[in-house]
């Protein structure tokens, strides 16, 4: 009652008198009218623009910066890309090159990139809500839930939306894509690119159809329980199986295996027990097994390549009879293997398998004791194999390859958060979800089957970056902006020589016509480059061309007939149609020309910094040794190579010197004279090709 | 007069009380601050300085600091605090040294490329701060590209360190090339000078002919990227020339 009275009194005091009432109403109206301009005046972006002006005041180039500065809201509008970006309103100094030392946000300069901001805007790369004019609405996951700013560590994901081929400046993205293909991710998850192609796996999981020929049930059990306990570098993930599950799967795989004729061989010449371990080790080294296979050395470091499986404890895994048969002809067991078919003699087979059998890990199977499998266990094992999708990677008899075993990841980089399950306390952002899913796949609930991989934090970041690049935006951007991935061609060499090359797996290391590995030189134009005699001798006994390389061509012990066949094929088929092999003479250059070439070699072009012509004096280790280049390479090839190396082999590191025709000719004359020891000092035109062709080989 | 003194005293006491209360409150709010149980007399970097990381990403290796006493033995339980420019994150940002006197932290650099001067601080027995500056390098797109390009084309000669995967040619050359972190050499050269040397070879600037020209092999953007990389790793750090104005 009393309050009511009080209210009435104050009302009368304020509005009782009409003039006073008019005055007060006017003041209230004025305040109401002032709200909008005041809100604008005190807006966040104005505050940041004031801050910028204060920041540049004390700088030496303040006049220039002030002249560039324009107050107000700035906007980049690109209708074709769906971009309305007002980021530059607060990020005022993005294009000021002189602000390189400014670390304070939002004033830092944008780092140099190959694209212009005016052409691409900001959100195409960084995400966020470009049209917003407050910090929270532009960046944060609370106000921009599906497009919050992408953390800087995943920046390279932005490049991957258009660049589906590897870029030199995005190592993290490249690594992530390589891991997706190499760790079998794309065998369970489909990843389609905007052009309709799908990402292809690059790993080669072995078929399990004849697994009982190769190994024991105990080893399968230990491997299933923890692949890393057998080999630290294993690419097979851990399915976190219970003892019972591992027991039943191993029972099923053994029972399901069918023996294959020729998969086992008895050791004849030298048995594993009496083989000379040193001789076995040196044969392992001579055959360059380490180019593809790694082994732990005494210090515990892995040494070797990663094309084939790690061999640190291979003796605990494989049966000796299988190993001998495998080394004799790997394609009998697995027709799709990358392992070359070395033509080892029986004595060599004994040595090598003896050496490999001695590489054991006695702890691995020490506690594995399995009772004979029951039919129920085998049936349960088959169920488990289907549940865990083993057949997505491995060929298993009677189990079809599951289609789309895991969720499709083609647009996972734009996955709405509403479709994701987060664990308690996990920040609700897509990058956090993805990186956690990769690191701990099973924490998101029971019944999940994604296995546990052992990735380093850098690898997790790389994989997350690659996944974040798979966005809706890459489908909506104009198609002409898309740069397609460079896939492998379907080239396979034809005929009998082609069969031989498949048998030797040449293309595991060499690339030919867009198909094959990148460990060794591209052979697409090898027939135009080399001389027949040299090639024949090289195939017989591959000598060292680049002394600084640790991965070298192994000796396959080819028969004379096989060698001739291969040489003929390479010399005939792998020709560059634009190269006329006879355009430059192989010999007969004048002494003055050779001397001029020598001076160019050591003087103007300083080739000795990377190449060796005189083994006593020259010390360059980068390029191939040139002591016998005159009997190795064709003169026209040398000439064209000097003129433009990248044209003959894209990506080669020898710089294009922009040589004049005369210089290139003189250098070619000098180089064709280099025919190995003894003939180096010989005069012009003396050493003919046929007599000195094989002299340089084998040094 | 007496009253004034009384007032001053009471105000001082009051201020102290407020400060003490604040201090206590702060200490109660963050109970995770470790209490130093020992004090070292020297602080130095054990490993992890001058790393090249990506902007906004954790450095590949952790930063390890070493706290020693006068005799050069490791001190256990000394507090080391890390700080850096805006955007740099440490995990943890302060910690006590372990039994060998080491403190390990993982560092995430800021979102902008460039050189970051981090600071590690510990306190000696008298409470004096011992601080060490730790430089770390963040590569942006251009520096990253430069790193990749130089690794393919340049480092075989310019990097004296040999690994089995990449044997260095540095010591085989009659005129030894300068390693890219030699700021005293590279900082004297302007971007245009470096562009000329890389593009047209050593003789373009009266330097060794062993340095070949790359203008027909690399694009201009590639060469600029290599220069950006050289500027980033240079030690002492490179100072870009500011805008030069004509004198009035």
């Amino acid at each position: 009652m009393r309050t009511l009275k009080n209210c009435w009194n104050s009302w009368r005091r304020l509005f009782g008198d009409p003039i006073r009432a008019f005055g007060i109403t006017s003041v209230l109206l004025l305040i109401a009218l002032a709200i909008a301009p005041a809100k604008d005046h005190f807006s966040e972006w104005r505050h940041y623009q004031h801050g910028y002006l204060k920041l540049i005041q004390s700088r030496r180039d303040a006049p220039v910066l002030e002249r560039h500065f324009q107050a107000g809201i700035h906007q980049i509008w690109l209708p074709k890309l769906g971009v309305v970006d007002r980021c530059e309103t607060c990020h005022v100094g993005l294009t000021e090159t002189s602000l390189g030392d400014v670390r304070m946000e939002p004033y830092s300069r944008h780092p140099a990139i190959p694209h212009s901001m005016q052409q691409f805007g900001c959100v195409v790369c960084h995400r966020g809500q470009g049209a917003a004019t407050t910090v929270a609405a532009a960046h944060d996951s609370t106000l921009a839930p599906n497009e919050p700013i992408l953390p800087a560590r995943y920046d390279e994901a932005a490049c991957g939306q258009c660049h589906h081929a590897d870029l030199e400046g995005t190592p993290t993205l490249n690594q992530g894509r390589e891991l997706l293909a190499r760790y079998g991710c794309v065998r369970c998850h489909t990843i389609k690119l905007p052009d309709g192609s799908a990402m292809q796996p690059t790993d080669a999981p072995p078929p399990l159809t004849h697994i009982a020929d190769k190994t024991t049930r105990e080893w399968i059990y230990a491997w299933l329980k923890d692949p890393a306990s057998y080999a630290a570098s294993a690419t097979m993930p851990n399915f976190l199986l219970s003892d019972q599950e591992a027991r039943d799967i191993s029972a099923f795989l053994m029972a399901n295996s069918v023996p294959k004729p020729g998969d086992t061989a008895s050791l004849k010449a030298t048995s594993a027990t009496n083989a000379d371990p040193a001789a076995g080790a040196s044969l392992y080294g001579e055959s360059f097994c380490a180019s593809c296979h790694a082994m732990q050395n005494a210090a515990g470091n892995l040494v070797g390549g990663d094309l084939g499986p790690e061999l640190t404890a291979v003796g605990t895994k494989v049966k000796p009879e299988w190993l001998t048969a495998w080394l004799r002809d790997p394609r009998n067991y697995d027709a799709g293997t990358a392992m070359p078919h070395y033509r080892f003699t029986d004595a060599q087979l004994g040595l090598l398998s003896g050496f490999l059998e001695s590489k054991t890990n006695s702890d691995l199977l020490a506690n594995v004791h399995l009772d004979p499998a029951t039919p129920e266990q085998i049936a349960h094992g088959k169920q488990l194999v289907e549940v865990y999708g083993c057949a997505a990677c491995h060929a298993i008899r009677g189990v079809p390859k599951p289609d789309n075993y895991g969720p499709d990841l083609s647009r996972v980089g734009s996955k709405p958060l509403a479709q994701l399950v987060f664990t308690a306390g996990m920040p609700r952002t897509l990058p956090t979800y993805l990186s956690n899913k990769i690191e701990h796949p099973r924490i998101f609930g029971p019944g999940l089957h994604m296995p546990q991989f052992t990735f380093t934090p850098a690898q997790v970041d790389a994989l997350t970056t690659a996944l974040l690049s798979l966005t809706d935006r890459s489908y909506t951007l104009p198609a002409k902006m898309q740069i397609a991935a460079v896939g492998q061609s379907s080239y396979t060499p034809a005929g009998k020589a082609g069969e031989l090359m498949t048998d030797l797996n040449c293309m595991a290391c060499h690339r030919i016509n867009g198909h094959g590995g990148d460990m060794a030189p591209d052979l697409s134009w090898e027939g135009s480059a080399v001389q027949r005699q040299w090639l024949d001798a090289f195939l017989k006994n591959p000598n060292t061309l680049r002394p600084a390389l640790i991965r070298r061509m192994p000796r396959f012990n080819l028969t004379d007939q096989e060698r001739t066949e291969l040489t003929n094929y390479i010399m005939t088929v792998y020709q560059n149609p634009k190269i006329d092999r006879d355009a430059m003479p192989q010999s007969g250059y004048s002494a003055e020309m050779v001397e001029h070439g020598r001076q160019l070699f050591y003087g103007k072009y300083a080739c000795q910094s990377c190449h060796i012509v005189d083994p006593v004096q020259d010390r360059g280790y980068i390029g191939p040794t040139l002591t016998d280049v005159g009997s190795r390479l064709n003169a026209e090839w040398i000439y064209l190579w000097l003129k433009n190396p990248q044209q003959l082999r894209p990506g080669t590191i020898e710089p294009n010197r922009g040589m004049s025709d005369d210089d290139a000719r003189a250098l070619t004359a000098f180089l064709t004279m280099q025919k190995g020891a003894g003939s180096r000092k010989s005069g012009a035109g003396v050493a003919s090709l046929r007599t000195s062709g094989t002299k340089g080989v084998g040094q | 007069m007496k009253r004034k003194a009384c007032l001053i005293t009471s105000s001082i006491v009051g201020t102290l009380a407020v400060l003490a209360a604040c201090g206590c409150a702060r200490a109660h709010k963050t109970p995770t601050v470790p209490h130093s149980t020992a004090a070292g007399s020297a602080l130095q970097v054990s490993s992890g300085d001058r790393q090249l990381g990506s902007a906004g990403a954790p450095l590949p290796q952790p930063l390890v600091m070493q706290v020693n006493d006068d005799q050069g033995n490791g001190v256990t339980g000394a507090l080391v605090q890390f700080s850096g420019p805006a955007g740099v994150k440490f995990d943890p940002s302060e910690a006590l040294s372990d039994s060998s006197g080491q403190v390990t932290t993982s560092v995430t650099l800021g979102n902008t490329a460039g050189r970051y001067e981090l600071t590690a601080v510990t306190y000696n027995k008298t409470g004096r701060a011992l601080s060490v500056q730790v430089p770390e390098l963040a590569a942006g797109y251009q520096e990253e590209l430069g790193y990749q390009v130089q690794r393919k084309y340049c480092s075989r000669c310019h990097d004296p360190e040999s690994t089995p995967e990449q044997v260095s040619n540095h010591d085989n050359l009659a005129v030894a090339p300068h390693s890219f972190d030699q700021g005293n050499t590279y900082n004297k050269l302007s971007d245009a000078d470096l562009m000329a040397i890389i593009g047209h070879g050593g003789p373009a600037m009266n330097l060794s002919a062993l340095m070949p020209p790359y203008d027909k092999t690399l694009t201009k953007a590639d060469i600029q990227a290599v220069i950006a990389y050289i500027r980033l790793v240079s030690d002492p750090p490179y100072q870009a020339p500011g805008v030069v104005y004509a004198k009035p």
Side-chain angles (χ1 to χ4, degrees):
Chain A
M1 195 63 210
R2 212 173 143 174
T3 20
L4 245 166
K5 210 175 170 182
N6 278 347
C7 275
W8 174 242
N9 280 342
S10 34
W11 175 263
R12 259 211 339 217
R13 210 175 300 143
L14 285 173
F15 296 104
D17 176 30
I19 295 176
R20 195 184 296 157
F22 179 75
I24 287 171
T25 319
S26 311
V27 168
L28 284 177
L29 191 70
L30 254 175
I31 292 172
L33 283 176
I35 287 175
K39 218 175 140 190
D40 180 55
H41 181 76
F42 294 109
S43 61
E44 237 174 2
W45 59 265
R46 223 176 262 282
H47 162 75
Y48 285 118
Q49 292 192 348
H50 283 308
Y52 177 72
L53 288 175
K54 214 179 275 176
L55 175 90
I56 58 173
Q57 244 173 30
S58 53
R59 296 180 71 90
R60 270 178 49 199
D61 50 350
V64 181
L65 292 171
E66 272 164 13
R67 209 180 319 128
H68 291 178
F69 173 78
Q70 283 181 326
I73 289 185
H74 303 287
Q75 178 173 292
I76 300 174
W77 182 42
L78 304 166
K80 278 188 189 155
L81 306 186
V83 163
V84 181
D85 286 354
R86 299 179 175 157
C87 315
E88 276 189 296
T89 308
C90 298
H91 294 273
V92 202
L94 284 181
T95 51
E96 293 294 352
T97 40
S98 72
L99 295 182
D101 58 319
V102 174
R103 289 271 180 280
M104 190 170 56
E105 296 301 356
Y107 307 126
S108 63
R109 176 192 63 166
H110 196 282
I113 49 163
H115 294 303
S116 136
M117 225 174 291
Q118 295 303 322
Q119 277 178 334
F120 285 84
C122 310
V123 297
V124 170
C125 296
H126 294 282
R127 308 195 179 189
Q129 308 212 80
T133 51
T134 63
V135 176
H139 301 150
D140 289 356
S141 57
T142 45
L143 286 173
N146 280 328
E147 282 287 293
I149 284 286
L150 193 65
R153 65 205 285 183
Y154 307 117
D155 270 353
E156 290 174 19
C159 315
Q161 298 178 107
C162 298
H163 295 269
H164 303 288
D166 280 0
L167 279 171
E168 209 159 8
T170 58
T172 311
L173 175 68
N174 303 349
Q175 188 198 6
R177 283 173 172 165
E178 196 227 314
L179 290 171
L180 283 176
R182 188 172 141 66
Y183 277 78
C185 309
V186 291
R187 289 186 182 272
C188 290
H189 301 278
T190 307
I191 297 184
K192 275 211 169 119
L193 303 174
D195 63 1
S197 63
M199 214 182 247
Q200 293 302 319
T202 53
D203 58 340
L208 306 181
T209 323
H210 318 296
I211 183 85
D213 293 348
K214 179 181 184 179
T215 185
T216 61
R217 188 177 159 210
E218 281 71 20
W219 180 85
I220 298 178
Y221 176 89
W223 170 256
L224 285 170
K225 284 293 284 176
D226 182 12
S229 69
Y230 166 72
S233 67
T235 49
M236 163 114 167
N238 187 342
F239 282 81
L240 307 170
L241 301 172
S242 68
D243 292 357
Q244 192 208 351
E245 286 177 318
R247 180 197 69 193
D248 294 355
I249 293 178
S250 63
F252 165 70
L253 290 176
M254 291 304 275
N256 193 42
S257 164
V258 285
K260 190 167 189 200
D263 261 2
T264 53
S266 55
L267 300 174
K268 281 186 207 152
T270 336
S271 79
T273 41
N274 60 21
D276 175 7
S282 69
L283 182 58
Y284 182 86
E286 271 169 42
S287 308
F288 293 108
C289 305
S291 294
C292 297
H293 296 280
M295 228 186 240
Q296 251 179 37
N297 62 9
N301 298 323
L302 268 186
V303 179
D306 58 5
L307 211 59
E310 180 185 333
L311 300 178
T312 309
V314 67
T316 312
K317 173 184 173 182
V318 296
K319 296 177 174 171
E321 312 84 57
W322 177 87
L323 181 61
T324 313
W326 168 264
L327 291 172
R328 179 170 288 157
D329 182 8
R331 304 184 76 79
N332 181 55
Y333 180 79
D334 177 5
T337 183
M339 169 102 169
H341 179 183
Y342 287 80
R343 275 77 172 149
F344 288 125
T345 62
D346 278 1
Q348 285 177 317
L349 283 176
L351 281 176
L352 199 53
S353 58
F355 167 71
L356 291 172
E357 282 299 325
S358 71
K359 299 284 163 193
T360 54
N361 173 4
S362 53
D363 296 342
L364 186 73
L365 305 180
N367 295 316
V368 182
H369 305 290
L370 297 168
D371 294 328
T374 63
E376 293 78 44
Q377 289 177 358
I378 294 172
H380 185 232
K382 183 171 186 188
Q383 267 178 11
L384 289 169
V385 161
E386 283 163 0
V387 166
Y388 284 107
C390 307
C393 295
H394 299 280
I396 304 173
R397 198 170 61 91
V399 185
K401 182 175 167 19
D403 285 331
N404 301 325
Y405 180 77
D408 186 304
L409 299 181
S410 304
R411 294 185 182 209
V412 70
S414 297
K415 190 129 179 145
L417 295 192
Q419 292 178 12
L420 300 174
V421 178
F422 289 86
T423 62
M426 187 185 289
R428 288 180 61 84
T429 67
L430 188 59
T432 333
Y433 175 82
L434 290 176
S435 57
N436 272 288
K437 183 74 188 171
I438 295 163
E439 250 185 316
H440 318 286
R442 302 275 181 93
I443 60 169
F444 294 88
L448 296 171
H449 296 133
M450 174 155 160
Q452 175 80 51
F453 290 83
T454 40
F455 290 128
T456 62
Q459 285 177 320
V460 173
D461 271 3
L463 278 163
T464 311
T465 306
L467 291 176
L468 284 168
S469 74
L470 305 166
T471 59
D472 285 343
R473 201 182 277 280
S474 61
Y475 286 82
T476 57
L477 289 171
K480 65 173 183 188
M481 284 172 68
Q482 302 290 338
I483 293 159
V486 187
Q488 294 254 324
S489 74
S490 57
Y491 170 77
T492 39
K496 257 186 122 179
E499 273 170 39
L500 183 58
M501 286 172 73
T502 312
D503 198 37
L504 295 170
N505 256 321
C506 303
M507 281 145 91
C509 303
H510 294 279
R511 182 166 299 217
I512 304 174
N513 296 333
H515 185 85
D518 57 0
M519 194 195 288
D522 191 315
L523 298 183
S524 308
W525 296 333
E526 187 71 359
S528 302
V530 299
Q531 298 177 19
R532 178 184 294 269
Q533 284 77 3
W534 175 85
L535 181 61
D536 191 60
F538 184 79
L539 289 171
K540 193 173 189 178
N541 188 15
N543 59 334
T544 300
L545 290 176
R546 292 175 179 79
L549 288 191
I550 50 170
R551 289 187 186 146
R552 305 232 182 98
M553 167 105 163
R555 200 171 68 194
F556 293 115
N557 306 321
L558 300 174
T559 64
D560 287 352
Q561 196 198 340
E562 285 174 329
R563 224 174 51 234
T564 313
E565 197 149 339
L566 205 51
T567 311
N568 284 342
Y569 189 80
I570 293 174
M571 294 307 293
T572 320
V573 179
Y574 297 139
Q575 292 277 347
N576 182 334
K578 288 181 189 156
I579 297 180
D580 174 10
R581 283 178 61 90
D582 304 323
M584 287 283 285
Q586 206 62 39
S587 55
Y589 297 100
S590 68
E592 296 83 60
M593 198 168 176
V594 173
E595 176 56 23
H596 181 47
R598 200 186 70 81
Q599 284 173 3
L600 289 172
F601 186 93
Y602 285 105
K604 185 172 176 187
Y605 295 111
C607 311
Q608 77 279 15
S609 45
C610 293
H611 295 281
I612 295 172
V613 159
D614 179 353
V616 182
Q617 179 195 330
D618 303 341
R619 296 169 72 193
Y621 269 116
I622 303 300
T625 309
L626 301 179
T627 45
D628 59 347
V629 66
S631 26
R632 179 164 70 87
L633 292 179
N634 183 280
E636 175 68 4
W637 176 272
I638 298 179
Y639 173 78
L640 292 172
W641 180 275
L642 290 169
K643 291 285 288 177
N644 187 352
Q646 279 74 27
Q647 199 180 19
L648 298 184
R649 195 163 287 156
T652 191
I653 64 168
E654 168 149 351
N656 177 352
R657 309 294 294 263
M659 248 175 233
S660 70
D661 292 357
D662 285 347
D663 281 7
R665 226 172 270 132
L667 266 170
T668 308
F670 170 66
L671 289 172
T672 49
M673 285 302 109
Q674 308 308 318
K675 293 180 189 280
S679 55
R680 197 181 313 114
K681 303 284 183 203
S682 59
V686 174
S688 88
L689 165 67
R690 292 208 178 274
T691 51
S692 65
T694 51
K695 265 189 190 169
V697 176
Q699 286 176 28
Chain B
M1 193 66 206
K2 207 173 182 182
R3 217 173 127 196
K4 206 173 175 185
C6 208
L7 206 85
I8 289 167
T9 326
S10 66
S11 68
I12 288 170
V13 168
T15 318
L16 280 178
V18 168
L19 278 178
C22 285
C24 284
R26 200 174 297 152
H28 279 299
K29 262 185 199 162
T30 50
T32 47
V33 170
H35 285 283
S36 199
T37 55
S41 53
L43 179 68
Q44 65 204 43
V45 182
S46 174
S47 71
D49 62 335
R50 294 193 55 77
Q51 289 186 72
L52 181 69
S54 290
L59 287 174
Q61 300 296 324
L63 170 62
V64 185
M65 303 298 298
Q66 170 81 38
V67 188
N68 285 339
D69 60 13
D70 292 331
Q71 280 78 46
N73 301 319
V75 174
T76 311
L79 178 69
V80 177
Q81 296 167 320
F82 298 97
S83 59
V88 180
K89 291 187 204 94
F90 298 91
D91 181 28
S93 63
E94 45 189 8
L96 298 180
S97 53
D98 64 8
S99 56
S100 52
Q102 292 192 331
V103 176
T104 306
T105 185
S106 57
V107 184
T108 304
L109 296 179
N111 293 347
T112 43
R115 188 186 165 98
Y116 284 78
E117 289 288 347
L118 314 181
T119 314
V121 180
T122 189
Y123 298 91
N124 69 5
K125 277 182 190 122
T126 58
R128 201 169 63 83
L130 307 166
S131 79
V132 173
Q133 295 283 64
V134 187
E136 302 287 3
L137 313 168
Y141 175 83
Q142 205 183 20
E143 291 85 356
E144 191 77 64
L145 175 65
Y147 170 73
Q148 302 293 342
V149 172
Q150 67 86 27
R151 226 168 67 103
K152 185 171 173 188
Y153 294 96
C154 319
S155 70
R156 285 159 198 250
C157 291
H158 280 273
D159 185 357
E161 213 150 294
S162 240
T163 62
E165 288 291 328
Q166 200 176 58
V167 178
S168 172
N169 198 36
H170 180 269
D171 297 339
N172 294 327
L173 297 172
V175 181
H178 292 278
S179 160
F180 287 141
D181 56 1
Q182 290 180 1
N184 289 330
T185 306
Y186 289 99
N187 292 351
K188 285 181 206 148
L189 299 165
S190 71
D191 285 6
D193 291 347
L194 284 175
M195 196 87 197
I197 296 171
I198 300 172
H200 305 303
M205 294 286 292
N206 261 341
L207 296 168
S208 168
L210 298 185
M211 168 74 198
Y214 281 93
D215 60 343
K216 292 188 177 61
T217 311
L218 300 177
T219 62
K220 195 175 171 209
D222 282 343
I223 299 179
Q224 277 167 340
V226 172
I227 295 174
Y229 170 79
I230 294 172
R231 296 312 192 195
L232 177 67
V233 298
S234 119
D235 184 35
Y238 173 70
Q239 304 284 345
V243 184
V244 182
Y245 298 102
K247 278 180 186 150

